[in-house]
Amino acid sequence: TATDNVQVTEIPLPDFDPTLTQPNCHIPTGAIAFGPVTGGQAPFRYSINGGQSFGVSPNFSSLQPGPYDLVVTDALGCTTAQQAAIAPPFLPTVSLAVGPVLELGDSLQLQPILNLPQSQVAEWIWTPADGLSCTDCPEPWARPFLPTQYRLRILDKDGCPAEATVVVQVNRRRS
């Protein structure tokens, strides 16, 4: 009689930590990179449609906004899955409320209304500079001597622009 010892080693299931690139004003589509796979047995195959189709590349680009069912399958047929979502492109917006008519010599603080936190704005550009306390700050004080149309152009941290204008009226009549 013969005996033999067999050692069985368990291979952990494949696992991955995907990186998503979300669209913005410059690139209207997103991307998903599966990243390195831990566990499992190479070679790996990758799917972004719940396993309906697979490819050998872990990188997918030009993806429209929406949900994606990510699946990795290894050489032994073991799979792991995660869900991910590509968001619609974020486009910054800014608006400026019309304030009261200023009496000659009075001032008014211009306060933009944004769809993003001020901390996400990389650049503030107010024009014209006439009558403004600053041209590169979020909320300048305006003290024009004539009715003036002020323009604000912002750039967010992705370099995406937004613009707004407001006319500050001045009552030049003396009481």
Side-chain angles (χ1 to χ4, degrees):
T1 64
T3 62
D4 201 0
N5 288 333
V6 177
Q7 184 176 354
V8 177
T9 304
E10 181 180 353
I11 298 174
L13 290 174
D15 193 20
F16 63 99
D17 185 19
T19 301
L20 276 59
T21 302
Q22 299 292 353
N24 63 31
C25 66
H26 305 294
I27 303 169
T29 57
I32 296 174
F34 277 73
V37 176
T38 58
Q41 180 70 46
F44 300 102
R45 295 182 308 135
Y46 306 89
S47 172
I48 59 169
N49 59 12
Q52 295 176 32
S53 61
F54 284 90
V56 295
S57 173
N59 302 314
F60 295 83
S61 60
S62 300
L63 300 177
Q64 294 299 315
Y68 289 87
D69 294 318
L70 311 181
V71 179
V72 171
T73 298
D74 72 0
L76 303 173
C78 297
T79 64
T80 190
Q82 291 186 39
Q83 289 191 324
I86 298 295
F90 177 79
L91 303 174
T93 62
V94 61
S95 61
L96 294 164
V98 176
V101 175
L102 294 180
E103 294 300 319
L104 188 61
D106 285 351
S107 61
L108 168 74
Q109 188 172 27
L110 301 176
Q111 297 177 313
I113 300 163
L114 307 167
N115 69 339
L116 70 162
Q118 283 189 5
S119 63
Q120 295 298 308
V121 175
E123 193 170 350
W124 304 86
I125 307 162
W126 291 91
T127 55
D130 300 340
L132 292 180
S133 61
C134 59
T135 59
D136 60 354
C137 63
E139 299 179 349
W141 285 89
R143 188 178 179 181
F145 293 102
L146 298 169
T148 305
Q149 178 173 295
Y150 289 108
R151 177 175 163 246
L152 170 61
R153 177 179 164 88
I154 64 165
L155 293 175
D156 73 7
K157 290 191 174 187
D158 289 326
C160 298
E163 292 186 14
T165 60
V166 65
V167 175
V168 177
Q169 296 290 346
V170 178
N171 181 3
R172 296 180 50 93
R173 291 191 206 123
R174 298 197 181 239
S175 308

